[in-house]
Amino acid sequence: MHPTKSGRWITQTVSSTYLTEAVAIWFRDLRSEFRTRYAVNSILMFALTTLVTVSFSIGSFRIEESERPFLYAVLLWIILVFSALSGLSRSFVKEQEAGTMDILKLSARPQAVFLGKLLFNLTMLGVLELIIVPAFILLMGYKIKFPGCFVAMMVTGGLGLGAGTTLVAAMIAQANARGALFSALSFPLLLPLIITAIKGSERAAYGISAAGWPEVKIAAAYAVIMITVSLLLFPLIWEE
Amino acid sequence: MCFLKVTGIGKHFSTTILFKDISFALNSGDVMAITGWNGSGKSTMLRIIAGLVRPSAGQVEMFCDNKPIPKKFRRQYVGMVAPALALYDELTALENMEFFCRVRGIAYDRKSCFNILERVDLVKHAEKICGTFSSGMKQRLKLVQALIHKPPLLLLDEPGCNLDSRGIKSVKNIISDQRTWGITVIASNEKREVDYADSIVNLSN
């Protein structure tokens, strides 16, 4: 192609934005996932087997009614976090294993890659929560007095979980022993979020009134901070 | 017009020196070949020029229309084909092209993509999953991917690898086209590919 009338080469800067690049990566990942079903199978199988095990072994009758909101919140977030850890690292690891990492580095800006992968991981988490949370409530007889607060906690907790795991997935993609490293690095990063999400879910279930849903705000702040820091740090991780 | 200036480039891994103090300059229209023994660093040199790998010493500068192109924007000006660069096996040839168009901010046009695929004899396989392609077909699709944004700098690492006579002819045509307006750097030891070049840098020396 020849220079345009303005003398500039026809390149990406003409019409591409971070968002359009990120959306292209998101759609491509969804299309690949739809065909291979690798991450979704891994996440859902882990979540469903854990949920069934928990519901058979504990059920809704073995725990005192007063203790249920706390224990159920702990169990629900354990299932969600470990299910996410079982599959979300795939977003970057599969690029490394398939040898497509370099072509992606040449085609898209680092921040757009992060945003695209984050959108994909959030979609996976959204599907996971839409299936597992109602199933958990039904199987365990989980009574929630403030459903609005509970839903907000699931959404903000999911956002934080997605942001944290996406950053760690990018970090471990080029390392050996990725599986172990992913869990080991994610755990300390996600611990404040998990504690907050458990507390917020417990509060929603108990129906303890607190002005402004503090745990929801903390989880939202965690997600915003994690995404901002990731966008700043990701180019350093992505480029050799 | 674009200009590529490589000054004093060196690369070492731990205590192993791959190459050192390599310098050259290329203008639009130039075709250069990088040759050398296996393991001499031909592919690494191309990756350094593309900005995928940091050199241990020296620098790579690129100018277009007399303006310096910062390293973080260089990828927009580079098209690269290499054995280590893989396409998405679970997508069709057309879907791969659609992705690279969209991610590079090029308006996706199915008809134009078919025209490009026709140039590399892949139009019959446009809707087939890339995972089912032979290595030669994949190589031709890689060439399409490298040219989709019409890059002023084309980096070809063993471009004739796995190609039949028609594919090799396509490579020749691509290099001839690129010569009319852009820079081409070929890393190869194949005499046929080295013969396309005006100048040679031998990394074995």
mmCIF file of all heavy atoms in Angstrom, chain A residues 112-152:
data_model
loop_
_atom_site.group_PDB
_atom_site.id
_atom_site.type_symbol
_atom_site.label_atom_id
_atom_site.label_comp_id
_atom_site.label_asym_id
_atom_site.label_seq_id
_atom_site.Cartn_x
_atom_site.Cartn_y
_atom_site.Cartn_z
ATOM 1 N N ALA A 112 -4.794 -3.416 25.199
ATOM 2 C CA ALA A 112 -5.964 -3.979 24.519
ATOM 3 C C ALA A 112 -6.018 -5.492 24.731
ATOM 4 O O ALA A 112 -7.102 -6.066 24.905
ATOM 5 C CB ALA A 112 -5.919 -3.662 23.035
ATOM 6 N N VAL A 113 -4.837 -6.122 24.728
ATOM 7 C CA VAL A 113 -4.781 -7.573 24.971
ATOM 8 C C VAL A 113 -5.312 -7.854 26.379
ATOM 9 O O VAL A 113 -6.157 -8.737 26.574
ATOM 10 C CB VAL A 113 -3.343 -8.117 24.825
ATOM 11 C CG1 VAL A 113 -3.263 -9.583 25.248
ATOM 12 C CG2 VAL A 113 -2.860 -7.962 23.396
ATOM 13 N N PHE A 114 -4.841 -7.063 27.364
ATOM 14 C CA PHE A 114 -5.298 -7.277 28.739
ATOM 15 C C PHE A 114 -6.817 -7.110 28.830
ATOM 16 O O PHE A 114 -7.514 -7.933 29.423
ATOM 17 C CB PHE A 114 -4.591 -6.326 29.719
ATOM 18 C CG PHE A 114 -5.106 -6.483 31.124
ATOM 19 C CD1 PHE A 114 -4.668 -7.536 31.911
ATOM 20 C CD2 PHE A 114 -6.068 -5.628 31.633
ATOM 21 C CE1 PHE A 114 -5.171 -7.725 33.191
ATOM 22 C CE2 PHE A 114 -6.574 -5.805 32.915
ATOM 23 C CZ PHE A 114 -6.118 -6.857 33.688
ATOM 24 N N LEU A 115 -7.329 -6.029 28.231
ATOM 25 C CA LEU A 115 -8.770 -5.773 28.307
ATOM 26 C C LEU A 115 -9.572 -6.883 27.624
ATOM 27 O O LEU A 115 -10.611 -7.311 28.134
ATOM 28 C CB LEU A 115 -9.107 -4.426 27.657
ATOM 29 C CG LEU A 115 -8.765 -3.184 28.489
ATOM 30 C CD1 LEU A 115 -9.052 -1.914 27.696
ATOM 31 C CD2 LEU A 115 -9.562 -3.160 29.797
ATOM 32 N N GLY A 116 -9.082 -7.355 26.473
ATOM 33 C CA GLY A 116 -9.762 -8.442 25.760
ATOM 34 C C GLY A 116 -9.810 -9.711 26.596
ATOM 35 O O GLY A 116 -10.848 -10.363 26.710
ATOM 36 N N LYS A 117 -8.671 -10.030 27.221
ATOM 37 C CA LYS A 117 -8.604 -11.239 28.053
ATOM 38 C C LYS A 117 -9.461 -11.067 29.313
ATOM 39 O O LYS A 117 -10.084 -12.017 29.781
ATOM 40 C CB LYS A 117 -7.151 -11.541 28.446
ATOM 41 C CG LYS A 117 -6.240 -11.838 27.271
ATOM 42 C CD LYS A 117 -6.578 -13.146 26.635
ATOM 43 C CE LYS A 117 -5.662 -13.472 25.477
ATOM 44 N NZ LYS A 117 -6.117 -14.651 24.726
ATOM 45 N N LEU A 118 -9.459 -9.840 29.851
ATOM 46 C CA LEU A 118 -10.285 -9.576 31.037
ATOM 47 C C LEU A 118 -11.764 -9.768 30.690
ATOM 48 O O LEU A 118 -12.513 -10.406 31.455
ATOM 49 C CB LEU A 118 -10.024 -8.141 31.537
ATOM 50 C CG LEU A 118 -10.907 -7.656 32.687
ATOM 51 C CD1 LEU A 118 -10.669 -8.470 33.952
ATOM 52 C CD2 LEU A 118 -10.652 -6.179 32.988
ATOM 53 N N LEU A 119 -12.185 -9.233 29.551
ATOM 54 C CA LEU A 119 -13.588 -9.390 29.130
ATOM 55 C C LEU A 119 -13.940 -10.872 28.977
ATOM 56 O O LEU A 119 -15.022 -11.303 29.374
ATOM 57 C CB LEU A 119 -13.836 -8.656 27.811
ATOM 58 C CG LEU A 119 -13.884 -7.125 27.891
ATOM 59 C CD1 LEU A 119 -13.907 -6.518 26.496
ATOM 60 C CD2 LEU A 119 -15.101 -6.656 28.675
ATOM 61 N N PHE A 120 -12.998 -11.638 28.415
ATOM 62 C CA PHE A 120 -13.243 -13.068 28.237
ATOM 63 C C PHE A 120 -13.374 -13.765 29.598
ATOM 64 O O PHE A 120 -14.312 -14.537 29.828
ATOM 65 C CB PHE A 120 -12.112 -13.706 27.421
ATOM 66 C CG PHE A 120 -12.207 -15.199 27.322
ATOM 67 C CD1 PHE A 120 -13.153 -15.794 26.505
ATOM 68 C CD2 PHE A 120 -11.369 -16.016 28.064
ATOM 69 C CE1 PHE A 120 -13.262 -17.172 26.427
ATOM 70 C CE2 PHE A 120 -11.468 -17.391 27.989
ATOM 71 C CZ PHE A 120 -12.422 -17.975 27.172
ATOM 72 N N ASN A 121 -12.439 -13.454 30.509
ATOM 73 C CA ASN A 121 -12.495 -14.088 31.833
ATOM 74 C C ASN A 121 -13.755 -13.676 32.596
ATOM 75 O O ASN A 121 -14.348 -14.486 33.309
ATOM 76 C CB ASN A 121 -11.243 -13.731 32.640
ATOM 77 C CG ASN A 121 -10.063 -14.622 32.275
ATOM 78 O OD1 ASN A 121 -10.212 -15.577 31.528
ATOM 79 N ND2 ASN A 121 -8.892 -14.293 32.790
ATOM 80 N N LEU A 122 -14.163 -12.407 32.442
ATOM 81 C CA LEU A 122 -15.390 -11.965 33.108
ATOM 82 C C LEU A 122 -16.612 -12.671 32.524
ATOM 83 O O LEU A 122 -17.560 -12.985 33.257
ATOM 84 C CB LEU A 122 -15.553 -10.439 32.983
ATOM 85 C CG LEU A 122 -14.558 -9.601 33.806
ATOM 86 C CD1 LEU A 122 -14.767 -8.112 33.554
ATOM 87 C CD2 LEU A 122 -14.689 -9.894 35.304
ATOM 88 N N THR A 123 -16.582 -12.937 31.220
ATOM 89 C CA THR A 123 -17.695 -13.683 30.605
ATOM 90 C C THR A 123 -17.766 -15.092 31.197
ATOM 91 O O THR A 123 -18.841 -15.582 31.543
ATOM 92 C CB THR A 123 -17.497 -13.782 29.066
ATOM 93 O OG1 THR A 123 -17.244 -12.476 28.570
ATOM 94 C CG2 THR A 123 -18.723 -14.346 28.376
ATOM 95 N N MET A 124 -16.589 -15.722 31.315
ATOM 96 C CA MET A 124 -16.537 -17.075 31.901
ATOM 97 C C MET A 124 -17.060 -17.056 33.342
ATOM 98 O O MET A 124 -17.840 -17.915 33.746
ATOM 99 C CB MET A 124 -15.094 -17.605 31.905
ATOM 100 C CG MET A 124 -14.518 -17.943 30.571
ATOM 101 S SD MET A 124 -15.296 -19.365 29.817
ATOM 102 C CE MET A 124 -16.138 -18.590 28.491
ATOM 103 N N LEU A 125 -16.616 -16.037 34.106
ATOM 104 C CA LEU A 125 -17.059 -15.928 35.500
ATOM 105 C C LEU A 125 -18.561 -15.658 35.583
ATOM 106 O O LEU A 125 -19.245 -16.173 36.468
ATOM 107 C CB LEU A 125 -16.301 -14.803 36.203
ATOM 108 C CG LEU A 125 -14.973 -15.190 36.843
ATOM 109 C CD1 LEU A 125 -14.236 -13.958 37.324
ATOM 110 C CD2 LEU A 125 -15.205 -16.130 38.015
ATOM 111 N N GLY A 126 -19.055 -14.840 34.658
ATOM 112 C CA GLY A 126 -20.488 -14.538 34.618
ATOM 113 C C GLY A 126 -21.297 -15.808 34.397
ATOM 114 O O GLY A 126 -22.294 -16.054 35.103
ATOM 115 N N VAL A 127 -20.836 -16.634 33.439
ATOM 116 C CA VAL A 127 -21.525 -17.909 33.156
ATOM 117 C C VAL A 127 -21.464 -18.804 34.404
ATOM 118 O O VAL A 127 -22.468 -19.395 34.817
ATOM 119 C CB VAL A 127 -20.873 -18.623 31.945
ATOM 120 C CG1 VAL A 127 -21.410 -20.029 31.770
ATOM 121 C CG2 VAL A 127 -21.107 -17.807 30.671
ATOM 122 N N LEU A 128 -20.268 -18.848 35.018
ATOM 123 C CA LEU A 128 -20.089 -19.673 36.223
ATOM 124 C C LEU A 128 -21.056 -19.237 37.324
ATOM 125 O O LEU A 128 -21.756 -20.067 37.919
ATOM 126 C CB LEU A 128 -18.635 -19.539 36.716
ATOM 127 C CG LEU A 128 -18.318 -20.168 38.067
ATOM 128 C CD1 LEU A 128 -18.281 -21.683 37.946
ATOM 129 C CD2 LEU A 128 -16.976 -19.671 38.606
ATOM 130 N N GLU A 129 -21.117 -17.925 37.588
ATOM 131 C CA GLU A 129 -21.978 -17.430 38.670
ATOM 132 C C GLU A 129 -23.460 -17.646 38.339
ATOM 133 O O GLU A 129 -24.250 -17.985 39.219
ATOM 134 C CB GLU A 129 -21.702 -15.947 38.928
ATOM 135 C CG GLU A 129 -20.354 -15.728 39.616
ATOM 136 C CD GLU A 129 -20.157 -14.306 40.124
ATOM 137 O OE1 GLU A 129 -20.983 -13.435 39.813
ATOM 138 O OE2 GLU A 129 -19.156 -14.074 40.824
ATOM 139 N N LEU A 130 -23.827 -17.460 37.063
ATOM 140 C CA LEU A 130 -25.234 -17.638 36.676
ATOM 141 C C LEU A 130 -25.699 -19.081 36.872
ATOM 142 O O LEU A 130 -26.869 -19.331 37.148
ATOM 143 C CB LEU A 130 -25.443 -17.240 35.207
ATOM 144 C CG LEU A 130 -25.611 -15.747 34.940
ATOM 145 C CD1 LEU A 130 -25.640 -15.479 33.444
ATOM 146 C CD2 LEU A 130 -26.874 -15.207 35.601
ATOM 147 N N ILE A 131 -24.777 -20.019 36.739
ATOM 148 C CA ILE A 131 -25.156 -21.429 36.911
ATOM 149 C C ILE A 131 -25.006 -21.868 38.366
ATOM 150 O O ILE A 131 -25.898 -22.479 38.942
ATOM 151 C CB ILE A 131 -24.314 -22.336 35.981
ATOM 152 C CG1 ILE A 131 -24.670 -22.024 34.520
ATOM 153 C CG2 ILE A 131 -24.540 -23.818 36.281
ATOM 154 C CD1 ILE A 131 -23.750 -22.666 33.507
ATOM 155 N N ILE A 132 -23.870 -21.540 38.961
ATOM 156 C CA ILE A 132 -23.540 -22.092 40.279
ATOM 157 C C ILE A 132 -24.308 -21.421 41.425
ATOM 158 O O ILE A 132 -24.781 -22.105 42.343
ATOM 159 C CB ILE A 132 -22.005 -22.016 40.511
ATOM 160 C CG1 ILE A 132 -21.288 -22.947 39.534
ATOM 161 C CG2 ILE A 132 -21.633 -22.355 41.954
ATOM 162 C CD1 ILE A 132 -21.722 -24.405 39.600
ATOM 163 N N VAL A 133 -24.439 -20.097 41.373
ATOM 164 C CA VAL A 133 -25.078 -19.414 42.512
ATOM 165 C C VAL A 133 -26.544 -19.844 42.682
ATOM 166 O O VAL A 133 -26.937 -20.242 43.795
ATOM 167 C CB VAL A 133 -24.920 -17.873 42.402
ATOM 168 C CG1 VAL A 133 -25.673 -17.159 43.521
ATOM 169 C CG2 VAL A 133 -23.431 -17.503 42.447
ATOM 170 N N PRO A 134 -27.379 -19.827 41.624
ATOM 171 C CA PRO A 134 -28.761 -20.309 41.819
ATOM 172 C C PRO A 134 -28.804 -21.775 42.245
ATOM 173 O O PRO A 134 -29.617 -22.155 43.107
ATOM 174 C CB PRO A 134 -29.409 -20.135 40.440
ATOM 175 C CG PRO A 134 -28.569 -19.147 39.730
ATOM 176 C CD PRO A 134 -27.189 -19.336 40.248
ATOM 177 N N ALA A 135 -27.899 -22.601 41.650
ATOM 178 C CA ALA A 135 -27.866 -24.024 42.019
ATOM 179 C C ALA A 135 -27.507 -24.179 43.500
ATOM 180 O O ALA A 135 -28.108 -24.992 44.215
ATOM 181 C CB ALA A 135 -26.857 -24.769 41.143
ATOM 182 N N PHE A 136 -26.541 -23.388 43.959
ATOM 183 C CA PHE A 136 -26.121 -23.442 45.371
ATOM 184 C C PHE A 136 -27.277 -23.041 46.283
ATOM 185 O O PHE A 136 -27.550 -23.698 47.290
ATOM 186 C CB PHE A 136 -24.925 -22.499 45.573
ATOM 187 C CG PHE A 136 -24.321 -22.542 46.950
ATOM 188 C CD1 PHE A 136 -23.301 -23.434 47.251
ATOM 189 C CD2 PHE A 136 -24.774 -21.689 47.956
ATOM 190 C CE1 PHE A 136 -22.741 -23.473 48.526
ATOM 191 C CE2 PHE A 136 -24.223 -21.730 49.228
ATOM 192 C CZ PHE A 136 -23.198 -22.623 49.515
ATOM 193 N N ILE A 137 -27.971 -21.965 45.910
ATOM 194 C CA ILE A 137 -29.097 -21.476 46.732
ATOM 195 C C ILE A 137 -30.185 -22.554 46.826
ATOM 196 O O ILE A 137 -30.723 -22.810 47.908
ATOM 197 C CB ILE A 137 -29.654 -20.153 46.137
ATOM 198 C CG1 ILE A 137 -28.634 -19.032 46.339
ATOM 199 C CG2 ILE A 137 -30.989 -19.773 46.771
ATOM 200 C CD1 ILE A 137 -28.933 -17.753 45.588
ATOM 201 N N LEU A 138 -30.460 -23.197 45.699
ATOM 202 C CA LEU A 138 -31.507 -24.232 45.673
ATOM 203 C C LEU A 138 -31.089 -25.460 46.466
ATOM 204 O O LEU A 138 -31.837 -25.961 47.308
ATOM 205 C CB LEU A 138 -31.807 -24.644 44.230
ATOM 206 C CG LEU A 138 -32.718 -23.708 43.441
ATOM 207 C CD1 LEU A 138 -32.804 -24.164 41.995
ATOM 208 C CD2 LEU A 138 -34.119 -23.667 44.055
ATOM 209 N N LEU A 139 -29.874 -25.972 46.187
ATOM 210 C CA LEU A 139 -29.439 -27.222 46.825
ATOM 211 C C LEU A 139 -29.214 -27.073 48.332
ATOM 212 O O LEU A 139 -29.450 -28.006 49.092
ATOM 213 C CB LEU A 139 -28.148 -27.724 46.161
ATOM 214 C CG LEU A 139 -28.299 -28.315 44.758
ATOM 215 C CD1 LEU A 139 -26.939 -28.557 44.123
ATOM 216 C CD2 LEU A 139 -29.077 -29.628 44.807
ATOM 217 N N MET A 140 -28.719 -25.905 48.731
ATOM 218 C CA MET A 140 -28.373 -25.721 50.150
ATOM 219 C C MET A 140 -29.502 -25.041 50.937
ATOM 220 O O MET A 140 -29.394 -24.898 52.157
ATOM 221 C CB MET A 140 -27.095 -24.868 50.278
ATOM 222 C CG MET A 140 -25.899 -25.417 49.513
ATOM 223 S SD MET A 140 -25.312 -26.990 50.136
ATOM 224 C CE MET A 140 -24.492 -26.494 51.642
ATOM 225 N N GLY A 141 -30.524 -24.598 50.254
ATOM 226 C CA GLY A 141 -31.599 -23.883 50.954
ATOM 227 C C GLY A 141 -31.090 -22.584 51.557
ATOM 228 O O GLY A 141 -31.402 -22.247 52.706
ATOM 229 N N TYR A 142 -30.296 -21.880 50.775
ATOM 230 C CA TYR A 142 -29.627 -20.646 51.256
ATOM 231 C C TYR A 142 -30.645 -19.497 51.234
ATOM 232 O O TYR A 142 -31.120 -19.115 50.166
ATOM 233 C CB TYR A 142 -28.461 -20.351 50.320
ATOM 234 C CG TYR A 142 -27.445 -19.336 50.781
ATOM 235 C CD1 TYR A 142 -27.434 -18.821 52.070
ATOM 236 C CD2 TYR A 142 -26.453 -18.910 49.899
ATOM 237 C CE1 TYR A 142 -26.470 -17.909 52.463
ATOM 238 C CE2 TYR A 142 -25.487 -17.999 50.285
ATOM 239 C CZ TYR A 142 -25.505 -17.500 51.571
ATOM 240 O OH TYR A 142 -24.557 -16.597 51.953
ATOM 241 N N LYS A 143 -30.984 -18.995 52.431
ATOM 242 C CA LYS A 143 -31.963 -17.898 52.495
ATOM 243 C C LYS A 143 -31.214 -16.568 52.564
ATOM 244 O O LYS A 143 -30.365 -16.373 53.424
ATOM 245 C CB LYS A 143 -32.865 -18.071 53.722
ATOM 246 C CG LYS A 143 -33.749 -19.290 53.631
ATOM 247 C CD LYS A 143 -34.753 -19.303 54.774
ATOM 248 C CE LYS A 143 -35.599 -20.573 54.734
ATOM 249 N NZ LYS A 143 -34.925 -21.724 55.342
ATOM 250 N N ILE A 144 -31.576 -15.660 51.679
ATOM 251 C CA ILE A 144 -30.893 -14.358 51.612
ATOM 252 C C ILE A 144 -31.900 -13.257 51.871
ATOM 253 O O ILE A 144 -32.885 -13.120 51.121
ATOM 254 C CB ILE A 144 -30.206 -14.187 50.228
ATOM 255 C CG1 ILE A 144 -29.149 -15.278 50.039
ATOM 256 C CG2 ILE A 144 -29.568 -12.816 50.095
ATOM 257 C CD1 ILE A 144 -28.889 -15.630 48.616
ATOM 258 N N LYS A 145 -31.632 -12.483 52.918
ATOM 259 C CA LYS A 145 -32.621 -11.470 53.291
ATOM 260 C C LYS A 145 -32.495 -10.188 52.459
ATOM 261 O O LYS A 145 -33.473 -9.491 52.262
ATOM 262 C CB LYS A 145 -32.495 -11.162 54.786
ATOM 263 C CG LYS A 145 -32.914 -12.357 55.621
ATOM 264 C CD LYS A 145 -33.135 -12.044 57.073
ATOM 265 C CE LYS A 145 -33.669 -13.292 57.781
ATOM 266 N NZ LYS A 145 -33.231 -13.398 59.135
ATOM 267 N N PHE A 146 -31.266 -9.880 52.016
ATOM 268 C CA PHE A 146 -31.058 -8.692 51.161
ATOM 269 C C PHE A 146 -30.569 -9.153 49.777
ATOM 270 O O PHE A 146 -29.366 -9.125 49.497
ATOM 271 C CB PHE A 146 -30.014 -7.744 51.763
ATOM 272 C CG PHE A 146 -30.479 -6.932 52.933
ATOM 273 C CD1 PHE A 146 -29.564 -6.210 53.702
ATOM 274 C CD2 PHE A 146 -31.815 -6.847 53.274
ATOM 275 C CE1 PHE A 146 -29.971 -5.445 54.779
ATOM 276 C CE2 PHE A 146 -32.234 -6.089 54.363
ATOM 277 C CZ PHE A 146 -31.312 -5.401 55.117
ATOM 278 N N PRO A 147 -31.484 -9.582 48.905
ATOM 279 C CA PRO A 147 -31.027 -10.119 47.608
ATOM 280 C C PRO A 147 -30.268 -9.082 46.772
ATOM 281 O O PRO A 147 -29.312 -9.438 46.075
ATOM 282 C CB PRO A 147 -32.324 -10.508 46.894
ATOM 283 C CG PRO A 147 -33.384 -10.495 47.924
ATOM 284 C CD PRO A 147 -32.950 -9.632 49.041
ATOM 285 N N GLY A 148 -30.664 -7.817 46.857
ATOM 286 C CA GLY A 148 -29.976 -6.766 46.074
ATOM 287 C C GLY A 148 -28.510 -6.659 46.456
ATOM 288 O O GLY A 148 -27.625 -6.597 45.597
ATOM 289 N N CYS A 149 -28.257 -6.654 47.763
ATOM 290 C CA CYS A 149 -26.883 -6.569 48.271
ATOM 291 C C CYS A 149 -26.095 -7.818 47.862
ATOM 292 O O CYS A 149 -24.919 -7.733 47.477
ATOM 293 C CB CYS A 149 -26.922 -6.433 49.789
ATOM 294 S SG CYS A 149 -25.310 -6.336 50.549
ATOM 295 N N PHE A 150 -26.785 -8.979 47.907
ATOM 296 C CA PHE A 150 -26.127 -10.245 47.542
ATOM 297 C C PHE A 150 -25.709 -10.234 46.067
ATOM 298 O O PHE A 150 -24.576 -10.600 45.726
ATOM 299 C CB PHE A 150 -27.088 -11.411 47.831
ATOM 300 C CG PHE A 150 -26.481 -12.764 47.601
ATOM 301 C CD1 PHE A 150 -25.640 -13.335 48.548
ATOM 302 C CD2 PHE A 150 -26.745 -13.469 46.439
ATOM 303 C CE1 PHE A 150 -25.075 -14.576 48.338
ATOM 304 C CE2 PHE A 150 -26.185 -14.707 46.222
ATOM 305 C CZ PHE A 150 -25.351 -15.277 47.169
ATOM 306 N N VAL A 151 -26.616 -9.781 45.197
ATOM 307 C CA VAL A 151 -26.314 -9.732 43.760
ATOM 308 C C VAL A 151 -25.161 -8.754 43.506
ATOM 309 O O VAL A 151 -24.221 -9.049 42.755
ATOM 310 C CB VAL A 151 -27.569 -9.330 42.944
ATOM 311 C CG1 VAL A 151 -27.210 -9.022 41.489
ATOM 312 C CG2 VAL A 151 -28.610 -10.436 43.003
ATOM 313 N N ALA A 152 -25.214 -7.588 44.195
ATOM 314 C CA ALA A 152 -24.144 -6.593 44.024
ATOM 315 C C ALA A 152 -22.805 -7.172 44.474
ATOM 316 O O ALA A 152 -21.762 -6.922 43.861
ATOM 317 C CB ALA A 152 -24.472 -5.332 44.809
#
